[in-house]
Amino acid sequence: MMRQDTSGHGRNAVEVRGLVKHFGDTKAVDGVHLNVREGTVMGVLGPNGAGKTTLVRMLCTLQLPDSGTATVAGYDVARQPRPLRRRIGLTGQYASVDERLSGFENLYMIGRLLDFSRSGARQRAYEMLERFSLTDAASKPIMKYSGGMRRRLDLAASMMGNPEVLFLDEPTTGLDPRTRQEVWDHTQQIVAEGNTVLLTTQYMEEAEYLADELTVIDHGKVIAEGRIADLKARVGQRMLVIRPAVPQHLQHLVGVLTHYGLAGTVADEAQGVATVPIVSDEQLSGIVRVLGYYNYPIADIATHLPSLDEVFLALTGQKTDSQDAGPPGSGPQGAGSGYQEAVA
Amino acid sequence: MTTPTMAPQTPTTAAPQRSRARGNDGGRIGLRANLRHTGALARRNAVQIKQHPELMMDSLMIPIVFTLLFVYVFGGAMGGGSPESASENRDAYTNYLVPGIMAMMSLTMAMSVGTGINEDSRKGIMDRFRAMPIARASVLVAKCLVEMCRLLLSLVVLVIVGFLVGMDIEGRWMELGAAMGLTLFFGTSLLWVFMLMGLTMRTAQAVQGVSFLVTTPLQFGSSVFVPTDTMPAWMETFTKFNPLTHVADANRALTMGTGEVANPVMWAVIWSVGIIAVIMPLAIVRFRKRT
């Protein structure tokens, strides 16, 4: 989903050089380098506790880095926080709007804090409400908003000042799939207008949907970066999950698929499934032929986009730490399991 | 610096009509902008109250409940407690009590700001404020302004209830105004104490717990409810160092024309100025600090 580089300069709206942040003995962010070109969307992908939020907080001048430098819109996060703040928008993991105020009152207040005149703030607030489909709920207190409406209002609040760089820290974590789509649609609209966005997420699908480039971080370190297409070539476009009806067939099935050149095939004994990274449609039909040839009874067969765990497995050969704990709102099989699409 | 940074003045071509309305680039925030920000934030707190009138319950109910309870439960028993003189005793105690409760209200109303700030700061809205181009102190100043209004309202309610249960200030209206002003000033200084607590402590429950532990001995270990001369020497010494005693004595001297005025007023002012001078900068630094 590469967009035209409208600025024509390809300058960096965000430059991060060796950023480090400790909390006690743990290094939350450990020497991160990162560039976000103007008018593009950078996805920062990582599990819970990878340091994504700490990174965003430093870039938004909410926390000071221990070492390293970072500039946002040309301003240094440590030395020029005030002009920097005028050029950014931040939508955090938890909706940062006032629960007791109405949608309009929230936006009007933000407008006044951004030095709009009274009438200017009012006008801009209504504009934003309209744009994020909240006009009907303008005078309702946020307490009565649904989760998706809150996130949208949060986005609207962040866009009030027409920021040069928008930070979205896990904008859809904890939302149900339908609401997630709503938020994505609005985010995509922001993106389509040529705004520079830095997005953190735990979901490969979200990064794929919204971002041009991806930085994968774990334990505060960058473990992979590049265009989504390049990373996916390394990870596999899709994952095929096959559940044999007879569990004893599993090992044999994996052996057969590996024999047919599908080197990434993994048996998950606990789940009773085999997972195969798929890079082409031909591979998929090849596998179906193989399954037919050996005449395995198949209980279930599905493809899904690689989950965060699978991306990590492919990039680092390790599972993420967060797998046991499980991030809130995700299924028992870890982040991304909600996106399975059946092969009809 | 090894990396070249782009010149801040360069206009961005990606989005030409940035709304930087009146904001200057240098980052210093002028007085007018500061007042506008503080106004917008104070409005936020005021609208909160308008939408949720129950937030005003404490400022309306506490003066009523405390006055009625103390006047009608303890009032008759004060000064000997024979049933024949109960009514007379009650009237005398009302005149003693209401200026004292006035002082107490400064502490009671200030207490709630700590839990409020603490809850706010964990809700993400504070992060939004802190990432905005405003002076961070204006968030606290706005909160302070609204809380002062709440305290003033509760003092008005208290005085009205006081008159209804028979308080008699013998026409000392100016002095009553001065007592309310003094209480408001002292209450403002306490607001900063509780704001600092709210910003420092981890949970709202902790703030509430500690507030209760600190304020209860201060309320009762003072001249707010009864004269201190019947207390044992150590307790009487404690009350002398308790600023609530000074504020209560000052209010009483002003409104009732009993006792010395200058000394307690002076101590109340010294305490207020001292607390503001020390605690207010600490709270602002604490709020501005980026960890």
Side-chain angles (χ1 to χ4, degrees), chain B residues 108-277:
Chain B
T108 311
M109 295 301 295
M111 242 174 89
S112 64
V113 80
T115 46
I117 284 257
N118 191 280
E119 273 166 9
D120 252 5
S121 61
R122 277 175 298 108
K123 264 185 189 150
I125 183 91
M126 281 295 169
D127 274 351
R128 183 177 292 288
F129 292 149
R130 285 149 62 102
M132 287 188 77
I134 57 173
R136 290 180 174 182
S138 54
V139 177
L140 299 185
V141 172
K143 187 86 185 167
C144 182
L145 284 175
V146 173
E147 291 296 321
M148 284 168 72
C149 291
R150 258 158 49 88
L151 174 56
L152 183 61
L153 181 79
S154 75
L155 293 181
V156 170
V157 171
L158 171 67
V159 169
I160 292 172
V161 176
F163 283 132
L164 289 178
V165 298
M167 177 176 73
D168 185 5
I169 60 167
E170 294 163 355
R172 279 180 288 270
W173 293 101
M174 291 285 287
E175 288 83 347
L176 178 67
M180 285 171 77
L182 183 71
T183 308
L184 196 59
F185 184 44
F186 179 66
T188 306
S189 75
L190 292 181
L191 279 173
W192 289 96
V193 175
F194 287 101
M195 278 204 250
L196 180 61
M197 270 176 64
L199 292 169
T200 311
M201 300 182 78
R202 284 239 173 118
T203 65
Q205 282 81 358
V207 176
Q208 201 161 19
V210 173
S211 302
F212 182 76
L213 281 178
V214 172
T215 55
T216 310
L218 284 176
Q219 275 175 23
F220 288 94
S222 72
S223 66
V224 164
F225 299 113
V226 288
T228 59
D229 49 18
T230 63
M231 299 176 189
W234 59 270
M235 182 53 104
E236 204 185 343
T237 312
F238 175 78
T239 63
K240 285 211 177 77
F241 286 100
N242 183 349
L244 273 189
T245 302
H246 299 301
V247 180
D249 288 351
N251 287 347
R252 215 163 270 139
L254 283 164
T255 53
M256 297 303 148
T258 52
E260 193 198 353
V261 177
N263 191 49
V265 168
M266 182 188 75
W267 279 109
V269 170
I270 288 176
W271 268 101
S272 308
V273 171
I275 292 174
I276 289 179

Side-chain angles (χ1 to χ4, degrees), chain A residues 1 3 40-42 91 131-133 148 151-152 154-156 158-159 166-172 175 179-201 206-207 209-211:
Chain A
M1 205 201 67
R3 282 174 297 108
T40 68
V41 182
M42 167 65 80
T91 292
R131 173 168 166 188
F132 289 93
S133 324
R151 299 292 172 107
R152 266 147 53 202
D154 212 342
L155 280 177
S158 301
M159 292 302 290
L166 179 64
F167 293 93
L168 300 177
D169 188 18
E170 304 202 9
T172 65
L175 294 184
T179 317
R180 178 170 291 150
Q181 187 64 48
E182 266 174 40
V183 175
W184 281 353
D185 290 344
H186 284 285
T187 310
Q188 215 167 26
Q189 195 192 339
I190 294 170
V191 165
E193 284 164 21
N195 290 287
T196 309
V197 178
L198 190 147
L199 161 91
T200 77
T201 180
E206 180 160 276
Y209 200 83
L210 298 171

Side-chain angles (χ1 to χ4, degrees), chain A residues 239-256:
Chain A
M239 306 300 287
L240 176 68
V241 182
I242 308 165
R243 182 189 302 279
V246 184
Q248 286 74 21
H249 286 171
L250 184 60
Q251 284 306 334
H252 189 247
L253 174 66
V254 170
V256 166

